[in-house]
Amino acid sequence: MSQLLDGLEIGERIGKRIPEAVVEATPQWVVVHPQKLVEVATYLRDDSELNFRFLSGVTAVDHLDHFEVVYHLQSFSPNHMLTLKTRALDHDNPEVPSLVSVWRGAELQEREAYDLMGVRFAGHPDLRRVFLWEGFPGHPLRKDWLEMPGGLSPGLGRFPRED
Amino acid sequence: MTMKSEPFVVNVGPQHPSTHGVFRLRLTMDGEKIVDAEMVVGYLHRSMEKLAEGRTYTQNIPFTDRLDYLSAMSNNLAYCMAVEKLAGIDVPERGQFLRVIMAEFQRIANHAMAIASFAMECGVWFTPLMWMFREREKILDLFEMTCGARLTTNYVRIGGVSFDIPPEFMPAARALLKEMPERIAEYEALLMENEIILARSRDVGVLQPDLAIASSASGPVLRGSGVMWDIRKADPYAAYDRLEFDIPVGTCGDCYDRFLVRMEELRQSVRILEQALDMLPDGPASVNVPLALRPPAGEAYARIEAPKGELGFYLVSDGSPHPHRFHIRSPSYINLTPLRDMVVGLTVPDAVITLGSIDIVLGEVDR
C-alpha cells in the first residue's frame, strides 16, 4: 500500500533544511513558498529517505483570490507519496517557478496549466499554449472567465434539482 | 564532392492514419534523420474540465467515457474512486469485484487494439488486427450484455456499479476466458518472433529508465523500460490486493519491449479474471448515493492503473453539488513528454512506430 506521508512531519523536515520555506502544513499536504519551491523540490527528489523521483501530476486550482499549484509526488522505493502545494497570491498575474529542471515530467503539465489556467511558470523552457491557439482570449479554467467569443457563456447554470 | 543540406519540416498529421487520431507531429529533418520533433495537440479539446465544473458529480461520469474511449470502464472507475474518496463512500465487496472484472476485460480489449495497430504500423497487415478484434468483439458483447453499451459504458457509478451482471454473463465470460490462453498463444506465435516486427521495432525508440521516471511516464511505457511499477500492486484499489498476478517488465526500453509487456499483460489479465470470477461474492453490488451528492469541502486524488498508465482524478470540492476543480491526470498526454527524446535521430517510419508503441488515444490527450 502506498503510504501518504504526513504533511506535518515532512513540513518540519523541510523547515529544518530550508528555513522559511513552509507556509502551511496539514496532515494531507505541505504548502511551500514559491521562492523556495525549486530548492524544496530538489531536496525532496534527492533526499535518500524521501526519494521522490516521480512527479505524478501537476495542476493548478483557482481559489478565486489566489491560485494554488498542486504537485503529487511519488517515490517508488520506499513506496510513499506526498502532496506538495504552492500559492500564487497575485490573482491577476500568477507566477510560480517551473519545476522542469527538477522533473522533466512537469514540462507538458505546466504548459497545460498555463494554457487553461494562466499560471505562468518562470523558467519553463517552452511555455506556450498547448490545447488552445495562441491569441485565444483568456484562460478558460479560471473562475472569472465567463465569456466566449460570440457572446456565448460557458458552463451550465445551477443544477435543476438543487433547491 | 560534399553535398550541402538544409533542414526541412515534415508534418505528420493531424489527418494521418498512423497518428491514431488528430495528433500532429512536426518533424524537422536533416536528410532522412529527424533532428527535432514537436507535438501539436488540441484538435480534439472539448474542455471537459470546465464542463465538469457546471455539472454534478454523477452527471460527470459520462464525460469520463469519452476520455480514453477504448477503455471507458477504467476511466469510470478512476473517477468514481475519486468521488468516493472525497465523500467517504464505501463500495460493497461484490461491487469491488465487478469493477475489477470489467477493468481487466477492458485492459484486454485495449491491449488487443494497441498491439494490433502497432503490428499494422510495423507492416504486419490486417491478420493480427482481425484476430484481435475477434476477441475484443466478445468482450464488448459482455459489456453490452451488462450495461447496454459497448464503448461508452457509463457502468461504474459512485458507490458501486450501475447494474449487477445478468445470468448469461458468467457462462459467456468463462467460455471466453477458457479460449483466451489458446488465442494469446496464437498471437504470440504470429507476432513475437515475427521477422517484420523484430526488424522494425528492436532498438527503435529506446527510452532509458531514468528518463522514463523523470518524465513521469507510466503504464507499459514505464514498465517497458524495466521499471517495475504498477499501481495495482503498489497502491491496490478495488479488490486487487486479494488477487495474484505478476508485473511484466521489459529489459531495454525499445518499442519491442513495450509490445512484449502488453502481450504478457494479456495473460496476466486472464489470470486475474479467472480468480476474480471464482471469488465473486454475493450481496449488493452498490450502495445508494444521492443524485445531487454534496461531498464535504476538501480535495481528493485517486488513481488507477489504466491500460495506458496512471490515470488519476484530482477533485476539489467546496461543499456544493458541483466540483470546484476537476482535473484529469491522463496517461496518454503525459506519456508523450519523452517523445522528442525517443524520436530524434530516427527516420520518419521509425517515429511512427515509436508513437504507436506509446499507445495514445487523442480523446485523453486533448480532453
Side-chain angles (χ1 to χ4, degrees):
Chain A
M1 200 74 187
S2 195
Q3 188 203 351
L4 182 69
L5 289 186
D6 186 355
L8 294 171
E9 198 190 312
I10 300 299
E12 210 171 287
R13 280 180 76 159
I14 297 171
K16 269 186 205 154
R17 190 69 183 260
I18 305 155
E20 293 169 26
V22 180
V23 177
E24 186 192 321
T26 72
Q28 287 85 36
W29 60 73
V30 185
V31 184
V32 297
H33 199 276
Q35 278 170 0
K36 304 275 183 184
L37 181 67
V38 177
E39 213 177 321
V40 171
T42 314
Y43 165 66
L44 291 174
R45 184 193 62 181
D46 294 339
D47 186 84
S48 58
E49 268 176 55
L50 297 172
N51 198 18
F52 285 110
R53 287 174 67 201
F54 188 82
L55 173 68
S56 186
V58 181
T59 187
V61 184
D62 185 354
H63 282 293
L64 306 176
D65 56 343
H66 69 278
F67 283 95
E68 200 168 69
V69 183
V70 185
Y71 303 88
H72 291 103
L73 310 180
Q74 173 73 51
S75 156
F76 292 163
S77 150
N79 183 0
H80 56 215
M81 63 184 305
L82 175 74
T83 308
L84 181 72
K85 293 183 176 185
T86 189
R87 286 180 186 147
L89 296 175
D90 181 1
H91 191 272
D92 294 327
N93 194 13
E95 186 169 305
V96 296
S98 165
L99 288 187
V100 177
S101 57
V102 186
W103 292 288
R104 266 288 303 280
E107 191 182 322
L108 286 181
Q109 303 186 64
E110 286 183 349
R111 266 182 80 181
E112 180 194 339
Y114 163 68
D115 184 5
L116 302 177
M117 203 63 104
V119 179
R120 292 196 69 83
F121 291 89
H124 190 286
D126 185 25
L127 195 66
R128 285 176 299 138
R129 285 184 180 272
V130 59
F131 296 135
L132 304 170
W133 56 96
E134 296 295 336
F136 186 88
H139 300 282
L141 272 181
R142 286 190 180 187
K143 293 286 179 187
D144 57 5
W145 191 82
L146 297 170
E147 273 176 37
M148 276 165 74
L152 298 165
S153 55
L156 293 180
R158 282 148 62 86
F159 183 54
R161 296 186 203 208
E162 182 202 353
D163 279 308
Chain B
M1 193 183 100
T2 51
M3 293 270 279
K4 200 176 149 230
S5 67
E6 55 182 52
F8 64 100
V9 171
V10 174
N11 264 308
V12 183
Q15 272 84 24
H16 190 282
S18 72
T19 58
H20 299 236
V22 278
F23 178 81
R24 180 172 150 214
L25 203 52
R26 204 170 165 277
L27 301 172
T28 309
M29 312 288 298
D30 180 16
E32 292 226 335
K33 285 260 184 306
I34 297 168
V35 290
D36 194 12
E38 185 199 346
M39 64 166 217
V40 182
V41 295
Y43 297 96
L44 207 61
H45 180 62
R46 293 152 294 176
S47 76
M48 260 180 208
E49 295 182 1
K50 183 77 178 179
L51 285 171
E53 287 174 9
R55 286 164 173 78
T56 64
Y57 288 91
T58 313
Q59 283 174 326
N60 284 333
I61 302 173
F63 280 142
T64 64
D65 291 328
R66 284 138 182 97
L67 280 172
D68 175 0
Y69 40 77
L70 294 176
S71 43
M73 291 281 189
S74 308
N75 302 341
N76 295 163
L77 174 57
Y79 172 65
C80 291
M81 274 171 50
V83 180
E84 283 153 10
K85 204 168 167 183
L86 195 60
I89 298 166
D90 284 326
V91 179
E93 195 70 347
R94 188 177 170 84
Q96 300 282 28
F97 271 89
L98 286 176
R99 288 172 169 200
V100 169
I101 290 169
M102 293 306 168
E104 289 305 316
F105 271 126
Q106 190 75 75
R107 190 182 312 275
I108 296 177
N110 178 81
H111 281 356
M113 185 82 185
I115 294 168
S117 57
F118 174 72
M120 293 264 285
E121 276 153 9
C122 286
V124 189
W125 298 109
F126 293 108
T127 308
L129 183 88
M130 287 299 159
W131 284 14
M132 290 188 176
F133 267 46
R134 181 182 56 197
E135 272 67 61
R136 182 171 176 269
E137 186 67 21
K138 288 177 186 164
I139 292 171
L140 297 186
D141 284 346
L142 289 175
F143 291 166
E144 189 179 15
M145 172 188 299
T146 312
C147 63
R150 294 161 65 82
L151 279 178
T152 51
T153 52
N154 191 13
Y155 177 63
V156 179
R157 298 286 171 87
I158 300 162
V161 294
S162 61
F163 304 99
D164 206 333
I165 47 172
E168 64 269 26
F169 182 90
M170 273 296 188
R174 289 219 187 262
L176 176 61
L177 288 183
K178 201 166 167 229
E179 72 174 72
M180 269 317 274
E182 200 184 310
R183 297 295 184 208
I184 296 170
E186 270 177 22
Y187 305 154
E188 286 176 350
L190 179 68
L191 296 173
M192 296 251 285
E193 302 286 311
N194 189 308
E195 212 179 319
I196 305 170
I197 290 199
L198 288 175
R200 292 296 312 278
S201 67
R202 278 199 137 164
D203 299 324
V204 168
V206 177
L207 179 62
Q208 299 296 341
D210 284 342
L211 179 64
I213 295 172
S215 56
S216 305
S218 54
V221 179
L222 182 64
R223 289 194 287 277
S225 296
V227 183
M228 194 174 277
W229 180 252
D230 188 316
I231 294 162
R232 290 176 294 173
K233 279 269 196 230
D235 191 6
Y237 51 92
Y240 280 108
D241 50 347
R242 278 149 282 175
L243 302 165
E244 270 180 39
F245 57 98
D246 298 325
I247 310 171
V249 290
T251 47
C252 60
D254 56 10
C255 294
Y256 186 65
D257 272 358
R258 289 188 278 278
F259 154 75
L260 287 188
V261 165
R262 291 202 178 90
M263 209 64 159
E264 184 54 30
E265 281 187 10
L266 289 179
R267 278 195 191 284
Q268 296 302 330
S269 289
V270 172
R271 203 171 138 198
I272 294 172
L273 279 166
E274 278 167 351
Q275 298 170 47
L277 288 181
D278 286 338
M279 288 163 76
L280 183 65
D282 291 328
S286 42
V287 289
N288 281 334
V289 170
L291 207 51
L293 181 71
R294 289 165 182 271
E299 58 170 66
Y301 178 69
R303 57 197 180 149
I304 66 161
E305 186 70 30
K308 293 182 171 61
E310 175 181 343
L311 173 65
F313 279 84
Y314 175 69
L315 299 175
V316 180
S317 163
D318 54 2
S320 72
H322 322 280
H324 180 77
R325 178 82 172 95
F326 174 98
H327 175 70
I328 306 153
R329 187 252 186 241
S330 66
S332 294
Y333 179 61
I334 295 168
N335 283 351
L336 288 171
T337 312
L339 179 69
R340 187 182 170 278
D341 302 71
M342 286 155 82
V343 301
V344 164
L346 302 179
T347 55
V348 173
D350 287 347
V352 165
I353 289 180
T354 307
L355 181 66
S357 75
I358 296 178
D359 183 23
I360 55 168
V361 156
L362 268 293
E364 197 178 49
V365 173
D366 293 348
R367 280 160 285 158

